């Protein structure tokens, strides 16, 4: 069965530090991957997505992710985090043709000012 | 354009009671998804509507859960009778079509606590 796993459950960084959140998926077919973010008190919103083409995907707020097929990975990166990046981050994969999402466990990021 | 809305935002009920959660998708979005996140676990798919039809209900935990989308607009998710393990956050999402490139827009979620 298709699954998504996120390596880090809780990450604490200081402002201006670089961020990399790990995400691995298990699926042999066409891969469509997403990163969602949930800021405190807000709803889930899309950061970026990968469907095809350039494996380096740029999203909102300076985030990017790289799809590495050989490693089944889709890690999220940001060169310099801000206090406002404090949130929970979810990696997800599209399953089948109906559009349902398979989520990882989520990673809580706390950025210290 | 109004986003996906969910009601209530928080519900506290006792084991054995019934609760109905509501989701209003973005206007014009035919596809509606329900997800659930039990504390400490990942967000899991429950079911998918296309208009008023259930396209995929493979994630529904058991027959205590009933989802409807009469008229293809808003959807309700009823839990009857509720059990302790039903506690969690229930999310709703919608998209215009079910094509692979479509972003799902999520509602704020309903936090259900069963005592």
């Amino acid at each position: 069965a298709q699954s998504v796993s996120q390596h880090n459950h809780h990450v604490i960084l200081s402002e201006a530090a670089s961020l990399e959140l790990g995400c691995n998926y298990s699926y042999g077919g066409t891969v469509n991957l997403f990163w969602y973010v949930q800021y405190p008190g807000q709803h889930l919103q899309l950061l970026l997505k990968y469907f095809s083409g350039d494996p380096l995907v740029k999203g909102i707020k300076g985030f990017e992710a790289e799809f590495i097929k050989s490693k089944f990975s889709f890690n999220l990166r940001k060169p310099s985090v801000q206090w406002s990046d404090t949130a929970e981050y979810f990696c997800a994969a599209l399953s089948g043709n109906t559009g349902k999402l398979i989520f990882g466990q989520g990673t809580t990021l706390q950025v210290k000012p | 354009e109004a986003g996906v809305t969910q009601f209530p935002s928080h519900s506290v009920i006792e084991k054995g009671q019934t609760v109905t959660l509501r989701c209003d998708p973005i206007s014009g979005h035919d596809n509606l998804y329900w997800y659930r996140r039990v504390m400490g676990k990942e967000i899991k798919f429950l079911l998918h509507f296309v208009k008023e039809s259930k396209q995929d209900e493979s994630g529904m935990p058991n027959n205590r859960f009933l989802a409807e989308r009469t008229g293809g607009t808003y959807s309700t998710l009823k839990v009857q009778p509720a059990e302790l393990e039903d506690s969690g956050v229930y999310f709703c999402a919608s998209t215009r079509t079910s094509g692979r490139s479509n972003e799902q827009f999520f509602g704020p979620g309903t936090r259900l606590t069963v005592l």
Side-chain angles (χ1 to χ4, degrees):
Chain A
Q2 189 176 13
S3 66
V4 175
S5 63
Q6 294 180 237
H7 316 305
N8 320 97
H9 297 296
H10 196 107
V11 173
I12 302 174
L13 295 173
S14 297
E15 274 195 313
S18 64
L19 170 72
E20 181 161 4
L21 301 182
C23 172
N24 285 90
Y25 64 92
S26 65
Y27 187 60
T30 302
V31 178
N32 301 127
L33 299 163
F34 305 78
W35 275 97
Y36 278 85
V37 61
Q38 186 172 28
Y39 298 102
Q42 296 187 28
H43 56 273
L44 278 157
Q45 54 188 284
L46 184 68
L47 268 181
L48 48 80
K49 60 185 178 183
Y50 171 79
F51 281 83
S52 62
D54 189 345
L56 185 61
V57 180
K58 295 194 182 298
I60 61 171
K61 305 186 180 187
F63 286 91
E64 64 178 33
E66 185 174 12
F67 171 62
I68 303 179
K69 190 174 181 179
S70 61
K71 295 184 178 180
F72 296 89
S73 70
F74 189 57
N75 293 355
L76 181 71
R77 301 194 294 247
K78 185 171 184 178
S80 176
V81 295
Q82 301 171 321
W83 177 79
S84 58
D85 293 324
T86 294
E88 191 162 17
Y89 293 79
F90 298 90
C91 183
L94 204 63
S95 175
N97 294 317
T98 62
K100 69 183 182 186
L101 294 171
I102 307 297
F103 284 89
Q105 300 93 324
T107 297
T108 301
L109 171 65
Q110 182 183 353
V111 180
K112 294 182 174 179
Chain B
E1 179 179 73
V4 177
T5 59
Q6 292 186 246
F7 181 84
S9 58
H10 196 165
S11 179
V12 181
I13 61 172
E14 292 189 350
K15 175 182 170 182
Q17 289 186 321
T18 297
V19 64
T20 300
L21 313 181
R22 174 172 169 147
C23 169
D24 285 77
I26 293 172
S27 178
H29 281 196
D30 288 341
N31 290 267
L32 188 150
Y33 302 82
W34 282 99
Y35 295 87
R36 176 175 76 169
R37 189 182 194 196
V38 171
M39 187 160 52
K41 305 275 190 173
E42 68 273 24
I43 300 170
K44 282 195 172 181
F45 167 80
L46 295 178
L47 86 158
H48 169 211
F49 282 100
V50 177
K51 296 185 180 179
E52 66 275 7
S53 299
K54 292 176 185 174
Q55 192 77 5
D56 180 356
E57 48 185 332
S58 61
M60 293 288 263
N62 50 61
N63 59 10
R64 295 185 293 103
F65 288 75
L66 175 63
E68 294 181 321
R69 194 183 181 195
T70 307
T73 54
Y74 70 91
S75 174
T76 58
L77 180 65
K78 181 192 287 188
V79 185
Q80 179 182 28
E83 298 288 343
L84 299 178
E85 63 264 25
D86 300 332
S87 296
V89 181
Y90 289 77
F91 293 101
C92 175
S94 72
T95 68
R96 187 172 299 277
T97 70
S98 59
R100 300 182 74 83
S101 63
N102 284 290
E103 172 187 350
Q104 291 188 22
F105 293 88
F106 281 80
T110 293
R111 181 174 295 278
L112 174 64
T113 303
V114 182
L115 302 176

